[in-house]
Amino acid sequence: MDRDGNEYGIDRQRLDVMRLVEARGWTVVETFVDNDVSAMSRKPRPAFERMLAAAEAGAFDVIVARHLDRLLRRLIELERILDMYETTGVSVITSNDSIDTATDGGRLNARIMASVGQQEVERKSARQKSAAAQAAALGRWVGGRRAFGYEADGKTLRDDEAAAIRAGYAALLAGETLTAIARDWNDRGHATTQNKRDGTPNSWARTGVRDVLLNPRNAGLRRHRPTGTQGAFRKDPEAYIVGRAEWPAVVDEDTWRATAALLASPERRRAPVNAKALLTGVALCGVCGATVHAGGARRHYRTYRCSGMEHLARKAEPVEEYVEAVIVERLSRPDALALFAPEVEAETRDLGTEADTLRRRLDDLAVDYADGALTRTQFRTANERVRARLAEIETTMAAAGAGDLVAPLVSSGDVAAAWAEMTDARRRAVIDALAVVTLRPLGRGRHTFTPEAFAATIEIEWRRA
């Protein structure tokens, strides 16, 4: 580790190596330096790989290092070097621990020291993992790259970024796309917290926005994700939450859980890229069930076509007007709020506290079982009951937040006016959330566009009875 880049450690190693080189009358062909790079990690070591390639090419006869663990920390790397000695005759000699792989005794000592070095790495890794798990259970921040929305200390909100995150949650739950949110953040001058290779900040893209909105830290929750579980986390963002965090939340837990349920849902369809027509990717073909898309203009008007086998071609404008009129009329009825966005605040007010209690109870059950206070049957029964209740609570909280898609529209007092001010992306999301729209072919001949004709060829099936 060389935080300041002064290479003091490298200079000390070079002095010891040069004493041995000069004492033996050797000539240095090249010096290979991987500064601030650990020999125990699996990250690439460019100079180490160049050194092996040069040895294979016969550029030198001996590799000199101060200690063996300054050259390598993994047995697999030592075996590469010993195999190379068999084919090229290039050996390793160390100045401070007397390793010489040109002899059988030296190779034995090298293998022993490499084994010890690898064991030290594994022990250190186990300690670090244990410390990380403990810190997570206590809700502590342990460092790392600055999180978007927070200062470098990991605990203080950065107000302008936190406001952008809140707006992002609201926009997504209201039907906007991740791409639209990324565009908005870029337009407002917000950059990601990860720089490009040239040091300039990265701009936002939909995947980065998705990762930010899925991060439970925004709800003041602490997660502990074991190594190699990134893909699993994307599929189930709630899987690795271990409790409350020490930092303040950007949004409430209900909002985050609603967003996590939306983004992780296998039924969620990604909005078509640059979709301009209202029903693109939402309405279905009445013949094959495929989604429809905006086809080529015919006689100067837009059309909707089947994305599968071209089963239908419908004039887009009257279809959109009819569907929008039905949606607006239904949402304007007195019972719309109770039906499509039921008031559940009283039921969920204390659910966050109960969820935390249940998570702690799961930990207590595990400790009791380990101590022998519970039998296997008792542990399984209690564990299943607690997990079932926790799943029930999380589902209820997610449903409460999901109501935000419709509630602001219905509560506006003038649904038609509020609908007219919405973007097509939000209208598309509302339509998809409330109903299944199916377009059927009109058949041959001329057609009169009447409400009756539309009702016969445009089916709107409400998702709630």
Side-chain angles (χ1 to χ4, degrees):
M1 183 177 294
D2 186 3
R3 297 186 187 277
D4 300 325
N6 51 39
E7 295 197 357
Y8 290 158
I10 297 295
D11 289 341
R12 290 192 298 271
Q13 292 183 52
R14 184 180 287 111
L15 287 174
D16 287 345
V17 167
M18 289 307 300
R19 288 193 189 97
L20 176 64
V21 169
E22 292 170 359
R24 300 204 177 188
W26 290 340
T27 301
V28 174
V29 175
E30 188 171 351
T31 302
F32 298 90
V33 177
D34 277 318
N35 191 36
D36 200 34
V37 178
S38 172
M40 67 184 182
S41 72
R42 297 180 183 274
K43 294 181 180 180
R45 299 165 59 198
F48 180 79
E49 295 299 330
R50 286 203 324 272
M51 180 188 70
L52 296 185
E56 293 280 1
F60 44 77
D61 305 301
V62 179
I63 297 171
V64 185
R66 184 169 67 171
H67 292 96
L68 187 64
D69 63 7
R70 298 301 87 196
L71 179 66
L72 53 88
R73 276 285 187 104
R74 300 169 60 213
L75 280 169
I76 190 172
E77 292 177 338
L78 175 63
E79 293 303 326
R80 285 178 63 189
I81 287 177
L82 296 182
D83 289 344
M84 182 182 67
Y85 170 75
E86 296 295 332
T87 58
T88 66
V90 176
S91 61
V92 172
I93 293 180
T94 59
S95 62
N96 289 31
D97 49 18
S98 304
I99 293 295
D100 183 355
T101 61
T103 68
D104 55 352
R107 291 190 291 274
L108 173 62
N109 289 335
R111 287 189 171 100
I112 292 173
M113 294 185 69
S115 296
V116 172
Q118 183 159 325
Q119 187 269 343
E120 290 176 350
V121 169
E122 293 170 354
R123 177 181 294 176
K124 182 178 180 180
S125 175
R127 288 198 305 267
Q128 291 174 338
K129 289 178 181 179
S130 177
Q134 181 185 48
L138 296 174
R140 288 169 35 215
W141 182 74
V142 294
R145 189 172 68 238
R146 184 179 74 82
F148 185 68
Y150 292 83
E151 298 293 348
D153 63 4
K155 305 174 188 178
T156 306
L157 291 178
R158 181 170 288 193
D159 292 338
D160 58 336
E161 293 181 354
I165 291 174
R166 294 188 193 99
Y169 280 110
L172 185 76
L173 292 174
E176 287 290 3
T177 63
L178 292 169
T179 301
I181 297 170
R183 188 182 305 115
D184 178 66
W185 288 1
N186 288 328
D187 290 344
R188 294 177 183 274
H190 297 300
T192 70
T193 59
Q194 187 170 6
N195 293 336
K196 301 177 183 177
R197 290 184 177 181
D198 61 4
T200 59
N202 276 312
S203 58
W204 287 102
R206 67 179 305 277
T207 53
V209 172
R210 185 179 191 275
D211 288 342
V212 168
L213 298 184
L214 277 178
N215 195 340
R217 85 154 13 244
N218 296 328
L221 297 173
R222 185 65 160 88
R223 74 180 178 192
H224 178 59
R225 190 181 67 230
T227 304
T229 57
Q230 178 66 30
F233 172 76
R234 289 176 179 273
K235 294 178 181 178
D236 186 4
E238 302 179 27
Y240 301 108
I241 295 175
V242 294
R244 290 284 175 185
E246 63 178 348
W247 52 79
V250 178
V251 296
D252 58 77
E253 189 174 341
D254 290 358
T255 298
W256 178 79
R257 290 193 181 278
T259 301
L262 175 65
L263 293 178
S265 172
E267 298 177 357
R268 180 175 182 265
R269 293 194 296 268
R270 177 176 173 178
V273 178
N274 297 325
K276 296 182 179 179
L278 179 65
L279 299 178
T280 295
V282 173
L284 306 178
C285 169
V287 178
C288 68
T291 57
V292 302
H293 62 88
R298 300 179 59 186
R299 300 186 181 90
H300 309 292
Y301 61 79
R302 294 182 299 112
T303 61
Y304 281 117
R305 296 179 177 273
C306 169
S307 62
M309 300 296 292
E310 298 290 337
H311 292 126
L312 61 84
R314 298 289 301 267
K315 191 174 181 179
E317 187 173 344
V319 169
E320 292 171 351
E321 289 178 355
Y322 177 76
V323 172
E324 289 185 273
V326 171
I327 295 292
V328 169
E329 191 278 333
R330 186 64 190 86
L331 292 180
S332 299
R333 295 183 189 179
D335 66 343
L337 186 61
L339 182 62
F340 295 114
E343 183 59 54
V344 293
E345 180 181 356
E347 298 177 12
T348 62
R349 188 174 299 132
D350 298 322
L351 289 182
T353 301
E354 185 179 354
D356 284 339
T357 301
L358 291 174
R359 293 188 192 105
R360 288 194 294 271
R361 189 172 298 170
L362 288 173
D363 292 337
D364 292 340
L365 288 172
V367 172
D368 289 344
Y369 177 64
D371 291 342
L374 294 176
T375 66
R376 181 184 296 273
T377 301
Q378 290 172 331
F379 172 74
R380 286 180 176 175
T381 301
N383 195 57
E384 289 172 0
R385 289 183 61 183
V386 173
R387 288 191 180 278
R389 176 56 182 160
L390 183 59
E392 179 182 330
I393 289 173
E394 291 174 349
T395 300
T396 302
M397 294 177 70
D404 290 344
L405 181 65
V406 177
L409 180 62
V410 177
S411 303
S412 65
D414 187 342
V415 176
W419 183 268
E421 295 177 357
M422 294 170 64
T423 64
D424 275 351
R426 296 195 178 195
R427 294 178 192 171
R428 187 182 300 116
V430 171
I431 293 171
D432 195 32
L434 298 184
V436 178
V437 178
T438 303
L439 308 183
R440 298 195 177 279
L442 288 174
R444 296 180 179 276
R446 300 175 66 86
H447 301 277
T448 302
F449 294 105
T450 64
E452 293 75 16
F454 276 117
T457 60
I458 302 177
E459 298 177 5
I460 299 179
E461 180 182 356
W462 301 101
R463 296 188 187 274
R464 286 178 178 264

